[in-house]
Structures are given as structure tokens and as C-alpha cells.
Amino acid sequence: MKHGGDILTYKDLYEGEIIDFSSNINPLGPPKGLKEVINNGFEKLIAYPDIQYRELKAEIAEYLGCNNYEVIVGNGAVEIINNVISMFKRVVVFTPCFSEYIKRAEILKKDIVKLPLDKEFNINVNTLIKDLKGGDLVVLGNPNNPTGKRIDIKTLKHIHKVCLFKGAFLLLDEAFFEFCPEDYDSISIFKNSKNVCIIRAATKFFGLPGIRLGYAFSNEDIVNKFENITPPWSVNAYADIAGRYIFRQHEYIKDSKEYIKRQREFMLSKLREIEDIEVYDTHTNFILIKLLKKTENEVFNSMISKGILIRKASSFEGLNNRYIRVAVKSEKQNEKLIQFLKECI
Amino acid sequence: MKHGGDILTYKDLYEGEIIDFSSNINPLGPPKGLKEVINNGFEKLIAYPDIQYRELKAEIAEYLGCNNYEVIVGNGAVEIINNVISMFKRVVVFTPCFSEYIKRAEILKKDIVKLPLDKEFNINVNTLIKDLKGGDLVVLGNPNNPTGKRIDIKTLKHIHKVCLFKGAFLLLDEAFFEFCPEDYDSISIFKNSKNVCIIRAATKFFGLPGIRLGYAFSNEDIVNKFENITPPWSVNAYADIAGRYIFRQHEYIKDSKEYIKRQREFMLSKLREIEDIEVYDTHTNFILIKLLKKTENEVFNSMISKGILIRKASSFEGLNNRYIRVAVKSEKQNEKLIQFLKECI
């Protein structure tokens, strides 16, 4: 199981509609009104999207609180991860992490340094200091996938200082940013800093994995370098249209954040009542669970037989077959998950 | 001017709607009924597209007359060009050609061999034989952009034989395939051959440059290699939906072919009545023109002042500032182009 959301592969294992807890998408769905915006945009398909994505970038810059020329757009966050990695010689990650950091680096034939997170899945900066070299790229999920943990602000600033000192570059993958508590915004923090790129995405929070819209903040020189190496028109016309609508939906953004917060707290407390599992803290809309008595396959099989698709986590380097990951979904779905998980564990 | 279709950059140079002769899209627009199909597909956005694109590939295989496992899909033809180039050490092209062959090879830090087309923009196979080495990738536009010329069947088979003999690989970019006369289908010819990949696209013929759907036929081992290096979900949900509809629109396909054929012949004959230009033969929906007395800038400026955007061609390696390229568009638009071009030349 390389990625979540692959319902089609498992559809014959359950008669009826499978609930997908393996991908981490806003359970409220996309913002209201988007359907009309998209349906009115059909005519945009018959021309190329603006090759410079000028209006889209202006809209994102407004949302992020930065300048237009500091914005990158891409075919999902994963294209941005790939293309930024391609600019560096060596990539440093902390495991477990989103598998594509390592996979893209391997495909691009980069040297890779894999450092372990500590037992609580936090970053030990001293480990990084020891191994980091000038010219390196440090790729960190913030919050990290599959652990759900956000880097605390003090550690984050420390890591960036270390990067500056060593002449390394920091790539923060914040595809799940909006689901997190609003204690800090890394873009405000690093607004005038060098050697940093911060990726966000429409995929998860705006409930639009099918539309493929990733974006990022970085310095003008990195933005220019990115534009230069990225194939033309990599963002499709519908992603362009949607991106000019969704970031203005302030009510939807507020409601989604509150909903996820409530459901996350509900799930954490209910899951922690179940014996023989360890439920890790999370700042976002998915939860990593350690199975103390069963294997991921045992739990996966009994859950899918009840119509629930969970994410086996052994494919994440640094984890074994004793971990699963589940999304935070709608109240009813979450209750179902908890009930069935209780029964099978 | 790196690419056609960039209307936004020139929009202030003309009050009114600019007619875009710089990009080569089916003037009939996308197939009827697609709007409804897309509008009914909004719900697809809230899930990831099938990570394996199983249904889409089956549909394309049916259209191409090959097996599902011989189909590649990508975020436009350009992603496929990029990723295939990334698999080889050295890239051989004939200039002038689509600028991205050279650009992607440069970005991927490949060695590049640029061979010149002859005076009539045909390939001299002996030139290729002389320079080709084992492990090389030969990238050919068929028809070629900006020349509009298709490789004749005998030469094409000869080139492929040379590739096989030398242990090189042939990448045919046939993004404009359906616009061409139906004298041969390279996929039927190379159905059981090795060392070949044939790219097609929905962009041009199906009038959908905004949707980003490229696809290709190749051997199973190349397909697998491609899947392995391409980032997940690189084709968006709408491209997936559209791709499962457009290839069945046989009437539309037939009508579009006939329309383009008629308009191409009309334009060629009318353009050839204009003095002081040389109009090259073309098999497709764009025409390369040599300016015998004026420069591309002079013609570009007087045409844009009349609301017509043409493609300056000096950015194509091997051409200078004496060439322009124009699309074959609707009858009325073509008449306008011819009238204005007459006046300005």
C-alpha cells in the first residue's frame, strides 16, 4: 500500500460503499459555490491556461500574505516536492515521513540521508546538526505524515537557523497546514528569510484531490529557478479556476477548521478508550495508531470486511507492520470507525 | 515568444477580442456533450483519481488499438516527453523542432545532438546513421512542429530500423496525429516492435489544451519504467473523465478531420497567392511561412494591431527572424488572416 485513497483496488472486498479512512481529505467537501464556478469555466478548457498563471498567483499571494513573485504553483504538492528536490545534490529527511520525499530523491538519483525521529516522533535537532552539509536540502512534513505531528515553533526556527548556518535549504511540506491549530504560520515567520520553501496544497483542506493544485512560498530566485525547470502548463485550467475561488471562502475555511478540531478531539478521546492500541498525538486530520497485539493486515482485513478502508503504515520507512493510520472524517463516519475498531481489536 | 497561446501577454495591444493563430487547436472546439459529462463529474474531484488510471487506459487502448498495459498517461504530452527523456543519456533531435525536446533535455542535463533537417525540412537518415549511438533517444515530431511535415512511411520505418540496429530508442511525438491525412498509423506499424514510444494528446485535436491529457503507446517495460518515475496522480480527475468520453465521439472525429483538411487546402492555396512569402507544405493544422522581405516582428506587430496573434518562429533553433507560423482555424478566421496578411506583406 504505497498511497491512501486507492479505493478501486479494494472495491471487490466489500459489497456496498467503502468509507475511505486511508486518505486525509476535508470531510465537509469542497467550498459551496465551487461547482457553479467550475461548470461556468468549461470554456477555459479550449484555451491554454495562462502559461504564467498571473491571476492564480495573485490570489494565492493574497491568501498567503506574500508577494506574487514569491509564489510557485504546481500539479499537486508532489510536483513541487519533485522539482525542488531536483535542484539539490543531497536530501535529508527524518523517518517516518511521506514516502514521496525518499522516492522522488531516489528517482532523481540524489544522495539521501535518513535520520530517525525520536520515540515520540519529534525531531532531535542535534542529529541534524551532526549530519547536515552545505548544499543539502532538508525536507520536513509539517505536520508530518504519517505521524500527524507539527514541529514546535522553537524547534522550527532552530532548524532553519542551522540550515542558514550550514548553507543548506529547508523545504517544509505543509500540505495539511489549515487543519492544524493556529498557533503559528510558518510563512509569516520566514517571510523575509532565505533558504526556505513552504509548500501548501488545495488537495486536502479544500477537499479537491482530483483537481491537482499545489502551491508554495519561496524566495524570488527559487521561484524563478522552479519556473525554469517546470514543464509549461503543468497546472490545468480547472485548478486555475478553482484556485481563484476557494481561498476567498473565509466562512468555509473557519467552519472546516472548527469541525476538524472537534472531530479530532472526539476521535482521540474515543480511540484512547480502546485497549491494546497506542494512539499518538496529532495536530491534523489523521491519526497514527500502534497496534500492540495485532498486525496491520489483521486489522486492515477485518475493517475492509466492514466497508472501512484504513491505511496500513508499514510502507513508511521506520515503521513496521504494527501501525495503521486513519483519517478524521465526518462525525457519523468517525463513530463507525471507532465502533468497528473496538470490535476487531 | 517561447510558446503559442499566450494571449494574456498581448491583450493590451488590441482593443477587442484577439484571434489566436499562435496555438494550434481544433477550431470546432471540444466534442459535443463533453460539457455535461464534465459538469456531472464534479463529485470526482473530492476523491483522488484512480492512481492506476485503469478505466482511462482501457478507453485509450481501445482508441489506439493496443493493449491496456501498453498505455502511458501524463499531464499533457509534455510530461511524457520529459519523463521519457529522463530515462536516456543522450538525446538526438532534428532542428527546427518543438522547443521542449531540447529544453527538457537541457534541464535533465542530458547530452544533446542537434542534426539539421534538410532545406525542405525533411530528415536525411544518413545524417542520423552517422551520429547515432547505442543508448541514444531520438525524439521526432510527427508531424513536426513548426514545419508541419509528417515523416513519410518509408523513412519512418528506416529510422526505426536504424534505431534497432544501433540499440537506440525512438520517441515519436504525434500530438497532432489526428489532423494528418490517414495514409498510415504509426501505432499499427510499430505494434509489435521494440524501442519505440508514440505520444498522442487530447490537447490539440480534441480542443482541450486546458485539461492536460497526454497519452502514449509503448512496450510494457517502458510503460512500467514510466509509471515508476512519474509522480502519483499526475493526471487530474477531469482529464480522466474527459478521456473516457472523447475517444468515442466518432462523428466529431470524422467531421473535424474533414474540416481541417478543407481549411488547410484553402489556406495553402490562398496564402500561396501572396507575394514575397514562401508557404511550406504541411500535413497538419498549422503552416510555416518564410518572409522574403519582412521580419517576424514587423509582421507580428501589424497583425496584432488588427487583433490577430501569430507565432514568431525565431525561437525555434534552426530558424531565424524571417519565419512565422499560423494555425488553421475556422473558415471566417482564416479568411481574415489571409486578408490582413496580404495587406501587411
Side-chain angles (χ1 to χ4, degrees):
Chain A
M1 209 175 184
K2 281 189 199 156
H3 286 287
D6 187 10
I7 285 194
L8 205 54
T9 294
Y10 304 102
K11 72 173 171 22
D12 295 330
L13 297 181
Y14 182 71
E15 225 184 317
E17 206 175 328
I18 291 174
I19 306 176
D20 179 16
F21 274 88
S22 74
S23 67
N24 311 310
I25 309 300
N26 187 338
L28 299 186
K32 259 186 209 161
L34 180 64
K35 188 170 177 171
E36 286 64 43
V37 170
I38 293 236
N39 289 359
N40 290 331
F42 183 76
E43 276 63 35
K44 294 277 175 190
L45 288 190
I46 63 168
Y48 279 97
D50 173 18
I51 199 166
Q52 295 176 50
Y53 300 102
R54 281 161 274 207
E55 291 182 35
L56 176 62
K57 284 186 171 189
E59 197 70 33
I60 292 170
E62 169 88 26
Y63 178 63
L64 297 181
C66 66
N67 299 300
N68 298 9
Y69 56 79
E70 293 168 327
V71 173
I72 285 167
V73 293
N75 185 34
V78 78
E79 182 180 44
I80 304 181
I81 294 169
N82 183 76
N83 294 5
V84 173
I85 286 177
S86 80
M87 300 177 192
F88 295 86
K89 278 191 189 157
R90 202 172 76 144
V91 174
V92 181
V93 298
F94 279 84
T95 59
C97 64
F98 182 44
S99 58
E100 291 293 331
Y101 308 156
I102 297 169
K103 172 123 199 239
R104 303 322 307 163
E106 281 171 355
I107 285 163
L108 293 163
K109 300 195 171 65
K110 306 297 175 181
D111 295 327
I112 309 169
V113 179
K114 297 170 194 168
L115 305 172
L117 291 169
D118 72 14
K119 278 204 165 169
E120 286 300 307
F121 298 129
N122 292 314
I123 292 173
N124 182 332
V125 187
N126 288 331
T127 322
L128 182 67
I129 294 173
K130 193 170 150 271
D131 280 313
L132 197 64
K133 287 198 303 193
D136 281 355
L137 175 72
V138 182
V139 186
L140 300 176
N142 188 38
N144 188 39
N145 180 2
T147 65
K149 278 216 174 162
R150 211 172 181 213
I151 306 165
D152 71 87
I153 185 165
K154 217 184 112 194
T155 307
L156 185 63
K157 286 181 177 174
H158 189 185
I159 290 169
H160 181 249
K161 270 189 193 152
V162 170
C163 286
L164 282 178
F165 183 82
K166 295 249 190 175
F169 193 94
L170 178 60
L171 177 63
L172 292 175
D173 173 8
E174 299 196 343
F176 295 95
F177 173 76
E178 286 93 342
F179 293 112
C180 293
E182 291 183 315
D183 48 354
Y184 71 83
D185 175 354
S186 48
I187 293 183
S188 317
I189 296 173
F190 295 123
K191 211 169 175 175
N192 300 306
S193 305
K194 294 222 156 185
N195 294 27
V196 65
C197 176
I198 300 164
I199 295 176
R200 305 268 168 94
T203 303
K204 323 284 183 180
F205 186 75
F206 293 95
L208 295 166
I211 213 156
R212 313 310 299 140
L213 175 61
Y215 53 99
F217 158 87
S218 196
N219 300 123
E220 201 177 353
D221 56 330
I222 292 291
V223 174
N224 291 340
K225 217 169 163 183
F226 183 90
E227 312 269 277
N228 191 43
I229 63 173
T230 301
W233 313 292
S234 83
V235 172
N236 71 82
Y238 277 132
D240 189 1
I241 292 166
R244 290 190 250 159
Y245 178 79
I246 55 178
F247 302 120
R248 296 167 179 239
Q249 309 311 310
H250 308 294
E251 193 96 358
Y252 163 87
I253 293 171
K254 195 171 142 273
D255 291 349
S256 298
K257 285 183 176 189
E258 284 171 7
Y259 190 87
I260 286 293
K261 183 172 183 285
R262 238 178 11 250
Q263 288 306 313
R264 176 173 56 226
E265 284 166 6
F266 167 76
M267 275 186 87
L268 281 176
S269 77
K270 287 291 174 190
L271 285 169
R272 282 178 173 148
E273 291 173 5
I274 303 175
E275 273 178 36
D276 298 330
I277 60 172
E278 188 179 336
V279 179
Y280 292 96
D281 271 339
T282 177
H283 295 105
T284 185
N285 66 327
F286 53 84
I287 301 171
L288 185 67
I289 297 170
K290 187 170 183 178
L291 307 166
L292 303 178
K293 296 219 165 139
K294 301 220 162 180
T295 66
E296 57 173 12
N297 274 334
E298 287 169 334
V299 176
F300 180 88
N301 290 335
S302 46
M303 293 302 277
I304 195 74
S305 77
K306 284 164 175 164
I308 287 184
L309 183 67
I310 60 163
R311 176 74 157 87
K312 296 191 269 186
S314 63
S315 65
F316 290 99
E317 226 168 302
L319 296 184
N320 57 31
N321 68 349
R322 295 284 174 173
Y323 294 85
I324 60 168
R325 193 194 67 195
V326 296
V328 173
K329 294 183 69 83
S330 75
E331 192 169 345
K332 272 201 172 166
Q333 293 172 324
N334 295 338
E335 281 168 356
K336 242 186 202 169
L337 175 94
I338 287 158
Q339 185 206 321
F340 290 151
L341 207 56
K342 242 182 215 164
E343 287 170 24
C344 97
I345 297 233
Chain B
M1 212 173 183
K2 280 188 201 159
H3 285 285
D6 187 11
I7 286 195
L8 204 55
T9 294
Y10 304 102
K11 74 174 173 15
D12 295 331
L13 297 180
Y14 182 72
E15 225 183 315
E17 206 174 329
I18 292 173
I19 305 176
D20 180 16
F21 273 88
S22 74
S23 68
N24 311 312
I25 307 300
N26 187 338
L28 299 185
K32 260 185 209 163
L34 181 63
K35 188 169 177 171
E36 286 63 46
V37 170
I38 292 237
N39 289 0
N40 291 332
F42 183 76
E43 276 62 35
K44 293 277 175 192
L45 289 189
I46 62 169
Y48 280 98
D50 173 18
I51 199 165
Q52 296 176 49
Y53 299 103
R54 283 161 273 206
E55 292 182 34
L56 176 62
K57 284 186 170 188
E59 197 71 33
I60 292 170
E62 169 87 26
Y63 179 62
L64 297 181
C66 66
N67 298 301
N68 299 10
Y69 56 79
E70 293 168 325
V71 173
I72 284 167
V73 294
N75 185 35
V78 78
E79 181 180 45
I80 303 180
I81 294 169
N82 183 76
N83 293 5
V84 174
I85 287 177
S86 79
M87 299 177 193
F88 295 86
K89 278 191 188 157
R90 203 172 76 144
V91 175
V92 180
V93 298
F94 279 85
T95 60
C97 64
F98 182 44
S99 59
E100 291 293 331
Y101 307 157
I102 298 170
K103 171 121 200 241
R104 303 321 307 164
E106 282 171 353
I107 285 162
L108 293 164
K109 299 194 172 67
K110 305 297 175 183
D111 295 328
I112 309 170
V113 179
K114 298 170 193 167
L115 305 172
L117 291 169
D118 73 14
K119 277 202 168 172
E120 286 300 308
F121 298 129
N122 292 314
I123 292 172
N124 181 332
V125 187
N126 289 331
T127 321
L128 182 68
I129 294 173
K130 193 170 151 272
D131 279 312
L132 196 63
K133 288 198 301 194
D136 282 355
L137 176 72
V138 182
V139 186
L140 301 176
N142 189 38
N144 188 39
N145 180 3
T147 66
K149 278 216 174 162
R150 212 172 181 213
I151 307 165
D152 72 86
I153 185 164
K154 215 182 113 197
T155 308
L156 185 62
K157 286 180 178 174
H158 189 185
I159 290 170
H160 181 248
K161 269 189 193 151
V162 171
C163 285
L164 282 179
F165 183 82
K166 295 248 190 176
F169 193 95
L170 178 61
L171 177 63
L172 292 175
D173 173 8
E174 299 196 343
F176 295 94
F177 173 76
E178 286 93 342
F179 293 113
C180 294
E182 290 182 318
D183 48 354
Y184 71 83
D185 175 354
S186 47
I187 292 182
S188 317
I189 296 173
F190 296 123
K191 212 169 174 175
N192 299 306
S193 306
K194 293 222 155 185
N195 293 24
V196 65
C197 176
I198 300 165
I199 296 177
R200 305 267 168 96
T203 303
K204 324 283 184 183
F205 186 75
F206 293 95
L208 295 168
I211 213 156
R212 314 309 300 137
L213 176 60
Y215 53 99
F217 158 86
S218 196
N219 300 122
E220 201 178 354
D221 56 331
I222 292 292
V223 174
N224 291 341
K225 217 170 163 183
F226 183 90
E227 311 268 278
N228 190 43
I229 63 172
T230 301
W233 313 292
S234 83
V235 172
N236 71 82
Y238 278 132
D240 188 2
I241 293 167
R244 289 190 250 159
Y245 178 78
I246 55 178
F247 303 120
R248 295 167 180 241
Q249 307 312 309
H250 308 295
E251 192 96 357
Y252 163 88
I253 293 171
K254 194 171 143 272
D255 292 349
S256 297
K257 285 182 175 187
E258 284 170 8
Y259 190 88
I260 286 291
K261 183 172 182 284
R262 237 176 14 250
Q263 288 305 314
R264 176 173 58 224
E265 284 165 7
F266 168 76
M267 274 185 89
L268 281 175
S269 77
K270 287 292 173 188
L271 285 169
R272 281 177 173 149
E273 292 172 5
I274 303 175
E275 276 179 33
D276 298 331
I277 59 172
E278 188 179 337
V279 179
Y280 292 95
D281 271 339
T282 178
H283 296 105
T284 184
N285 66 327
F286 53 84
I287 301 170
L288 185 68
I289 297 171
K290 187 171 184 177
L291 307 167
L292 302 177
K293 295 220 165 136
K294 300 220 162 181
T295 65
E296 59 173 9
N297 274 334
E298 287 169 335
V299 176
F300 180 88
N301 290 334
S302 48
M303 293 302 276
I304 194 76
S305 77
K306 284 164 174 163
I308 287 184
L309 183 67
I310 59 163
R311 176 74 157 89
K312 297 191 269 187
S314 64
S315 65
F316 289 100
E317 228 168 301
L319 297 184
N320 57 30
N321 67 350
R322 296 284 174 174
Y323 294 85
I324 58 168
R325 192 194 68 194
V326 296
V328 174
K329 293 183 68 81
S330 75
E331 192 169 345
K332 272 201 170 163
Q333 292 172 326
N334 296 337
E335 282 168 355
K336 242 185 201 169
L337 175 94
I338 287 157
Q339 184 205 323
F340 290 151
L341 206 56
K342 242 179 212 164
E343 288 169 24
C344 98
I345 297 232

